[in-house]
């Protein structure tokens, strides 16, 4: 039974069961192509995270590919002069961001296991 109201334009359905509400659809175990990007300003963190992640992928039996990406360099300029009158002096710093891509193909369940493993060792996965 479908009840509609003219003033609001909304349609309400009541007492109607549809076939797709009752059936339980089997979920397909499809393969997903996933890339985890590890980025840090500390090279040791990147290397340690890569070793831990690849060893975990090997225990799951997943084939993976690692790509070293080039370092990205950024410049940061900050004012370090006096708070009152005087000459303005600027300090210039350079920041280097190291990154690696780890790509693999796995099921949705395996991807969930990998992301929860990364969170457990302190790597933030979005």
């Amino acid at each position: 039974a479908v009840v509609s109201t003219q003033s609001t334009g909304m349609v309400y359905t009541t007492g109607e069961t549809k076939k797709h509400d009752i059936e339980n659809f089997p979920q397909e175990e499809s393969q997903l192509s996933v890339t985890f990007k590890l980025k840090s300003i500390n090279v040791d963190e990147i290397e340690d995270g890569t070793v831990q992640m690849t060893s975990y992928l090997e225990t799951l039996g997943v084939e993976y590919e690692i790509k070293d990406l080039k370092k990205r360099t950024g410049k940061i300029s900050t004012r370090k002069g006096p708070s009152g009158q005087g000459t303005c002096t600027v300090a210039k710093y350079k920041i280097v961001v190291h990154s690696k891509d780890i790509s693999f193909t796995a099921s949705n369940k395996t991807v969930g296991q990998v992301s929860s493993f990364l969170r457990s060792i302190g790597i933030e996965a979005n």
Side-chain angles (χ1 to χ4, degrees):
V2 176
V3 179
S4 64
T5 58
Q6 294 293 332
S7 61
T8 60
M10 297 179 70
V11 177
Y12 299 99
T13 59
T14 56
E16 199 174 295
T17 56
K18 297 185 176 154
K19 187 176 181 181
H20 65 272
D21 290 338
I22 299 171
E23 290 182 20
N24 200 0
F25 291 107
Q27 294 185 353
E28 296 179 16
E29 197 62 32
S30 61
Q31 296 292 314
L32 303 171
S33 179
V34 181
T35 300
F36 280 93
K37 299 179 184 228
L38 302 178
K39 295 183 180 188
S40 178
I41 58 174
N42 189 350
V43 180
D44 295 333
E45 286 180 355
I46 290 287
E47 295 301 326
D48 187 40
T50 303
V51 167
Q52 289 182 0
M53 184 171 176
T54 54
S55 64
Y56 186 70
L57 289 173
E58 288 172 357
T59 59
L60 292 176
V62 177
E63 293 182 16
Y64 58 89
E65 179 184 342
I66 300 174
K67 271 199 249 179
D68 278 331
L69 302 176
K70 68 179 190 175
K71 296 182 267 187
R72 302 185 99 189
T73 304
K75 295 179 181 177
I76 300 170
S77 298
T78 60
R79 182 172 185 255
K80 75 172 195 184
S83 60
Q85 299 288 333
T87 59
C88 291
T89 55
V90 176
K92 294 182 181 177
Y93 300 98
K94 187 166 87 170
I95 186 169
V96 179
V97 178
H98 306 273
S99 57
K100 283 191 179 195
D101 281 359
I102 301 175
S103 302
F104 60 93
T105 302
S107 67
N108 194 12
K109 180 181 175 184
T110 305
V111 172
Q113 288 175 339
V114 171
S115 65
S116 63
F117 169 75
L118 290 176
R119 281 192 295 273
S120 72
I121 62 172
I123 296 176
E124 201 174 301
N126 293 335

